[in-house]
């Protein structure tokens, strides 16, 4: 039996319908699905951190690509389980443009998605830290997490915003092309292109930061002597004073700015571009109700 891959217009319709279905879910169900979305992206970052241990003195490019491939597990889990991820939820601007969803419902869904992702990501960070993962491999795991988190929080506001724009163009492109997949393998392969790109380049993803940055704060403030005197931390030459600027305020500011960048990148650039290119002149009934060709 042959499998037909959708043409670009049909793929745009499929993505618009998927976005519309998201907005129609009861908000309680959306919140539950967003919990797993935040946790799954956090799992991707767990794999990323694990892959970067001991690579500080190695070739930077290959190390970052490896980390990006590991992180893509997070989005693969989101795509295959149907979890709600705020960054891809920004594409619900398409049914909003078609007036298929009212602004009040639109923003309620966005808020629910963000809240669920945050709670899911924070819960996973607490589990990981409580399990003593930061002290594994002589503190190397926690050292990577803290150093990476502090570097992200150090971005200026314009940098964080623009890196957020770039990240969600890539993330939403991955979700967009994954919609064309007609098998599990198709969808996985679709995620293995744009996601390592944005991670390796150092772009900023708000939900990933909801996991990593609080985890970094836990290492800084709650790690205690066991962490700061661990073999890997001492070998890095970094002490508590080096992370003076890495504070809860810096973390909250970074996440807030990156959220705005993600909204622009995913909703008002990528999704809007494809809506204008393929759907703007289509009747809403043809996009959301008519049988697919």
């Amino acid at each position: 039996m042959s499998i037909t891959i959708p043409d670009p217009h049909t793929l745009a319709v499929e993505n618009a319908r998927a976005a519309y279905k998201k907005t129609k879910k009861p908000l309680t169900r959306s919140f539950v699905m967003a919990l797993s979305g935040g946790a799954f992206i956090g799992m991707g970052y767990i794999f990323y951190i694990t892959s970067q241990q001991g690579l500080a003195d190695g070739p930077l490019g290959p190390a970052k690509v490896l980390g990006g491939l590991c992180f893509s597990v997070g989005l693969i889990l989101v795509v295959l389980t149907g979890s709600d991820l705020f960054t891809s939820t920004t594409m619900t601007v398409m049914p909003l443009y078609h007036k298929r969803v009212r602004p009040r419902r639109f923003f309620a869904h966005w808020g629910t998605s963000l809240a669920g992702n945050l709670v899911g990501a924070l819960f996973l960070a607490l589990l990981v830290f409580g399990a003593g993962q930061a002290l594994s491999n002589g503190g190397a795991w926690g050292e990577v997490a803290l150093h990476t988190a502090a570097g992200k929080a150090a971005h200026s506001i314009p940098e964080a915003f623009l890196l957020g724009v770039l990240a969600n163009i890539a993330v939403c492109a991955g979700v967009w092309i994954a919609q064309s997949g007609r098998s599990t393998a198709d969808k996985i392969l679709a995620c293995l292109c744009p996601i390592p790109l944005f991670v390796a380049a150092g772009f900023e993803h708000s939900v990933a930061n909801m996991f990593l940055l609080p985890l970094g704060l836990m290492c800084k403030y709650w790690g205690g002597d066991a962490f700061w005197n661990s073999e890997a931390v001492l070998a890095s030459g970094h002490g508590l004073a080096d992370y003076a600027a890495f504070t809860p305020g810096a973390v909250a500011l970074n996440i807030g700015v990156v959220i705005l960048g993600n909204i622009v990148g995913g909703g008002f650039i990528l999704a809007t571009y494809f809506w204008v290119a393929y759907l703007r002149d289509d009747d809403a009934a043809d996009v959301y109700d008519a049988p697919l060709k």
Side-chain angles (χ1 to χ4, degrees), residues 17-55:
R17 289 186 178 188
Y20 176 61
K21 286 180 180 179
K22 279 189 172 186
T23 68
K24 298 300 289 182
K25 290 179 183 176
L27 293 181
T28 51
R29 185 180 176 194
S30 293
F31 180 78
V32 170
M33 298 306 294
L35 289 174
S36 60
F40 285 151
I41 292 298
M43 288 183 182
Y45 234 125
I46 290 172
F47 202 5
Y48 171 92
I49 294 167
T50 303
S51 75
Q52 299 302 291
Q53 296 173 96
L55 296 183

Side-chain angles (χ1 to χ4, degrees), residues 168-187:
N168 213 27
I169 290 174
V171 170
C172 288
V175 172
W176 189 278
I177 61 176
Q179 181 68 38
S180 71
R182 295 304 187 254
S183 71
T184 299
D186 294 342
K187 293 181 181 294

